[in-house]
């Protein structure tokens, strides 16, 4: 029994358990005249969903995996991780990163030498080192390293977050909000996308109330 057959049987059992009817088998669309113009029927419901749903899904999945996991992109991430997470100078990785992002090789090496000697960066992960950058405000001290950290954490391995953002806009900009401005739309989208982050509503209201003098008190 194939994987698709087992999935089909499981689906049929699930539909039967909740008193739902099995889907009907739709007719296949007529092929172009140059291909014969035939309109061969599907063999079964299972065959219909295999042709119309499963095979296209597998094709799209393969294309997306190939696009996102290209050897070139993985090689860039690998060299970036060696530069930012290493404990000594990996000259080959530094040279590749500088060539790829058009950076000054000697300048980056000098920043790495100083950064590796810092007590806070020793035996730390890339995430912990990036936290050191934020806590110590090292952006102006190590500008190239800051850019590499920013690039490393913003290289998307997939487009799921971007796609969620577009789907979010569909819910926000409705017919009743057709005159909403770009700034307000961006703010609402940010709140919707980052809704998993806890926000203290009372503190937000207090800050808004104290931002400028108002005729009415919000408290």
């Amino acid at each position: 029994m194939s994987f698709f057959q087992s999935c089909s049987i499981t689906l049929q059992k699930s539909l039967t358990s909740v008193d739902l009817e099995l889907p009907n088998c739709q007719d296949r669309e007529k092929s172009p005249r140059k291909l014969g113009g035939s309109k061969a029927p599907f063999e079964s419901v299972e065959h219909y969903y295999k042709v119309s749903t499963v095979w296209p899904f597998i094709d799209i999945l393969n294309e997306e995996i190939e696009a996102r996991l290209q050897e070139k992109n993985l090689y860039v991430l690998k060299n970036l991780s060696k530069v930012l997470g290493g404990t000594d100078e990996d000259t080959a990785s530094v040279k590749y990163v500088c060539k790829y992002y058009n950076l000054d090789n000697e300048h980056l090496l000098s920043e790495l030498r100083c950064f590796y000697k810092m007590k806070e960066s020793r035996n730390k992960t890339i995430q912990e080192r990036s936290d050191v950058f934020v806590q110590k405000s090292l952006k102006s001290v190590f500008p190239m390293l800051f850019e590499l950290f920013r690039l490393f954490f913003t290289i998307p391995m997939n487009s799921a977050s971007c796609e969620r953002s577009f789907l979010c806009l569909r819910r926000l900009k409705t017919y009743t909000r057709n005159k909403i401005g770009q700034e307000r739309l961006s703010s609402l989208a940010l709140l919707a996308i980052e809704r998993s982050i806890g926000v203290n509503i009372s503190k937000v209201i207090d800050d808004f109330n104290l931002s400028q003098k108002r005729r009415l008190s919000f408290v």
Side-chain angles (χ1 to χ4, degrees):
M1 181 183 296
S2 65
F3 172 75
F4 186 80
Q5 288 175 339
S6 62
C7 292
S8 179
I9 293 173
T10 304
L11 176 61
Q12 292 178 11
K13 291 180 179 179
S14 301
L15 291 174
T16 305
S17 63
V18 293
D19 296 329
L20 291 178
E21 297 181 357
L22 295 175
N24 296 324
C25 181
Q26 301 182 15
D27 294 333
R28 180 179 293 183
E29 295 182 359
K30 189 174 182 179
S31 59
R33 182 177 297 178
K34 62 181 180 180
L35 299 178
S38 62
K39 190 178 180 182
F42 291 102
E43 299 175 0
S44 61
V45 175
E46 177 184 328
H47 182 225
Y48 166 73
Y49 283 102
K50 182 187 292 185
V51 173
S52 63
T53 305
V54 177
W55 288 347
F57 171 77
I58 293 176
D59 289 339
I60 294 173
L61 183 63
N62 286 333
E63 291 177 0
E64 293 296 327
I65 290 175
E66 290 177 0
R68 283 161 173 70
L69 300 180
Q70 289 181 358
E71 185 176 354
K72 181 180 179 181
N73 295 337
L74 293 177
Y75 194 65
V76 172
L77 284 174
K78 181 180 179 181
N79 283 278
L80 270 176
S81 62
K82 287 182 178 180
V83 172
L84 300 176
T87 55
D88 54 0
E89 299 174 16
D90 190 336
T91 54
S93 296
V94 172
K95 185 177 180 180
Y96 178 84
V97 169
C98 289
K99 183 178 179 180
Y100 188 83
Y101 290 111
N102 194 22
L103 301 175
D104 185 88
N105 189 63
E106 294 299 325
H107 191 175
L108 180 58
L109 283 173
S110 63
E111 288 189 7
L112 285 172
R113 293 189 190 103
C114 296
F115 185 67
Y116 287 156
K117 291 180 181 179
M118 290 180 58
K119 181 180 179 181
E120 293 84 356
S121 68
R122 295 175 186 172
N123 301 321
K124 301 290 185 180
T125 63
I126 297 178
Q127 179 64 54
E128 291 171 340
R129 286 180 172 178
S130 66
D131 293 338
V132 171
F133 253 80
V134 176
Q135 295 168 3
K136 300 289 184 179
S137 301
L138 300 177
K139 178 180 178 180
S140 58
V141 182
F142 304 111
M144 281 193 177
L145 276 178
F146 175 80
E147 287 298 319
L148 292 182
F149 274 113
R150 186 178 63 84
L151 289 168
F152 182 82
F153 286 112
T154 54
I155 294 177
M157 291 307 296
N158 56 60
S159 61
S161 58
C162 302
E163 292 167 0
R164 283 198 298 268
S165 302
F166 285 110
L167 291 174
C168 174
L169 290 177
R170 291 183 181 179
R171 298 194 302 269
L172 293 175
K173 195 163 186 178
T174 60
Y175 177 77
T176 56
R177 290 176 171 174
N178 58 352
K179 293 185 179 181
I180 189 172
Q182 184 63 39
E183 184 178 356
R184 181 176 176 83
L185 180 62
S186 299
S187 301
L188 290 174
L190 182 63
L191 289 173
I193 295 167
E194 304 294 346
R195 60 184 178 276
S196 59
I197 300 176
V199 177
N200 190 337
I201 304 298
S202 299
K203 187 176 184 304
V204 172
I205 295 174
D206 293 338
D207 293 342
F208 180 75
N209 184 37
L210 297 174
S211 60
Q212 56 182 318
K213 293 183 179 180
R214 304 180 186 279
R215 294 181 179 179
L216 296 177
S217 177
F218 288 91
V219 181

